[in-house]
Amino acid sequence: MDNRMKFEELIKYIENHLTEKIDYHKLSKILAVSEQSMQRIFAFITNMSLSEYIRKRRLSKAYEELKSSNIKVIDLAIKYQYESEISFSRSFKNMFNMTPSECRKSNVEFVQFPIYQLNQLMAPFKYSYKIEEVEEIHLYGYKTPYAQTREDFLYRIRELYQNLKDRNLFEKIVELGMYGLTFRQDDNTENYYVGCKEKLEGSEPIKIISGKYAVFDCGGANQSDIAPLIHNIYTQFVLSTNLDIDLNYSFEYYEKNDNCYVYIHIKD
């Protein structure tokens, strides 16, 4: 087992034992070094202490459970290895600038602390999101087959956009409120749709299903804004969250002020 695999195994062990007392001796055995050396190596690679990383991962998961379940704060504190509700609430407030009770009532964006990935050149990529309930939305759209590779997928979207521009439809869709929708259909095929709420020439009916969604603000509406965020959602957020993410269903909503929001469906 090479060093990369050893460190990935260490990270995996931590993630699988966040609700237990983590045995530093076992972590050191994974790296085949002393406990002191293990902690030094961890800090050197991640630029944070091992205890800080564990604390942030526990609190990150605790935040999601507060927002997505009715678990009591005291039970959450015990689950994530805090000695008391007071110590848990203090640590929670230090990280999120609000108490667990305030968090449950608020609708502020959550900056997740994701699982560390060795292919990152610096600290874990951080991003904000909200959890929102979405009512069913009926749309009319134009599709292109979904591609498995990122490069091919982006090429097909650009090709679809260009086709709509050539047909003088793209600006109409943007003016009416544009959506981008990716989902697996009944015949098990997967397509990407661009559309709006009004039926235009050659469009077909589609719908956004109601339910709970994780919502990400792209900070812009260009592909250069959206593509990196979606990449990080699928490579970091999905691996780091407790939420039951439905990878077969997502959509984007484009505001007229040149901003885009990505919605990832959460299973019931």
Side-chain angles (χ1 to χ4, degrees):
M1 184 182 298
D2 63 25
N3 289 336
R4 174 178 288 272
M5 292 176 64
K6 287 180 181 178
F7 196 83
E8 289 174 348
E9 183 66 23
L10 180 145
I11 293 294
K12 182 178 179 181
Y13 180 91
I14 292 171
E15 195 64 19
N16 290 338
H17 294 81
L18 288 175
T19 58
E20 305 168 25
K21 182 178 179 180
I22 293 176
D23 189 336
Y24 280 26
H25 180 63
K26 287 187 178 179
L27 294 179
S28 66
K29 289 182 68 175
I30 292 172
L31 294 188
V33 296
S34 68
E35 288 186 35
Q36 184 178 16
S37 295
M38 178 271 297
Q39 293 186 61
R40 187 173 298 168
I41 290 168
F42 188 94
F44 178 79
I45 293 175
T46 66
N47 200 32
M48 74 189 85
S49 70
L50 176 58
S51 60
E52 179 186 7
Y53 175 80
I54 293 171
R55 176 179 61 82
K56 288 183 175 180
R57 281 300 301 141
R58 282 173 169 163
L59 290 173
S60 190
K61 285 183 171 287
Y63 187 111
E64 291 183 333
E65 291 195 46
L66 277 171
K67 302 297 285 185
S68 61
S69 74
N70 295 318
I71 188 171
K72 295 180 180 178
V73 175
I74 181 60
D75 293 334
L76 204 56
I78 294 171
K79 178 177 181 178
Y80 287 106
Q81 301 297 295
Y82 281 84
E83 294 181 356
S84 68
E85 183 176 344
I86 293 174
S87 62
F88 170 75
S89 296
R90 184 185 301 116
S91 184
F92 192 94
K93 186 171 184 178
N94 285 338
M95 183 166 176
F96 300 112
N97 294 317
M98 60 180 140
T99 66
S101 298
E102 291 169 341
C103 170
R104 178 160 271 160
K105 297 175 183 177
S106 73
N107 191 34
V108 299
E109 290 185 333
F110 167 39
V111 180
Q112 186 195 60
F113 185 82
I115 297 173
Y116 191 85
Q117 302 291 317
L118 264 184
N119 60 357
Q120 296 164 190
L121 299 179
M122 54 188 69
F125 180 78
K126 295 181 180 180
Y127 37 83
S128 300
Y129 73 93
K130 293 182 178 181
I131 295 177
E132 293 184 5
E133 289 284 348
V134 174
E135 298 296 326
E136 184 174 279
I137 303 174
H138 291 269
L139 302 170
Y140 298 90
Y142 305 86
K143 69 181 178 182
T144 184
Y146 184 85
Q148 294 305 313
T149 65
R150 181 169 177 254
E151 291 76 13
D152 192 25
F153 181 48
L154 295 178
Y155 171 78
R156 292 187 187 194
I157 291 176
R158 288 194 297 268
E159 191 176 48
L160 175 61
Y161 283 6
Q162 188 59 53
N163 178 268
L164 293 173
K165 288 176 182 178
D166 292 343
R167 296 164 61 188
N168 296 317
L169 291 169
F170 186 76
E171 292 301 325
K172 292 181 182 178
I173 295 172
V174 171
E175 182 63 27
L176 291 167
M178 187 169 77
Y179 290 81
L181 177 61
T182 303
F183 67 98
R184 191 175 298 278
Q185 297 171 298
D186 294 338
D187 61 359
N188 213 34
T189 60
E190 196 165 8
N191 294 298
Y192 177 80
Y193 286 84
V194 172
C196 58
K197 293 182 179 180
E198 185 174 318
K199 183 171 177 58
L200 300 175
E201 179 187 354
S203 63
E204 60 182 272
I206 51 176
K207 69 177 180 180
I208 292 173
I209 60 175
S210 61
K212 191 174 291 186
Y213 288 79
V215 186
F216 300 81
D217 185 342
C218 291
N222 295 320
Q223 196 173 82
S224 58
D225 302 310
I226 302 167
L229 175 62
I230 292 178
H231 173 76
N232 281 296
I233 288 172
Y234 279 81
T235 59
Q236 292 197 46
F237 169 73
V238 172
L239 295 176
S240 304
T241 182
N242 268 344
L243 300 173
D244 191 2
I245 300 298
D246 181 4
L247 292 179
N248 293 323
Y249 205 95
S250 65
F251 72 93
E252 304 122 38
Y253 173 63
Y254 296 80
E255 288 185 331
K256 292 182 181 179
N257 63 351
D258 293 329
N259 197 16
C260 174
Y261 295 88
V262 175
Y263 289 68
I264 306 294
H265 186 236
I266 302 170
K267 296 179 183 177
D268 296 330

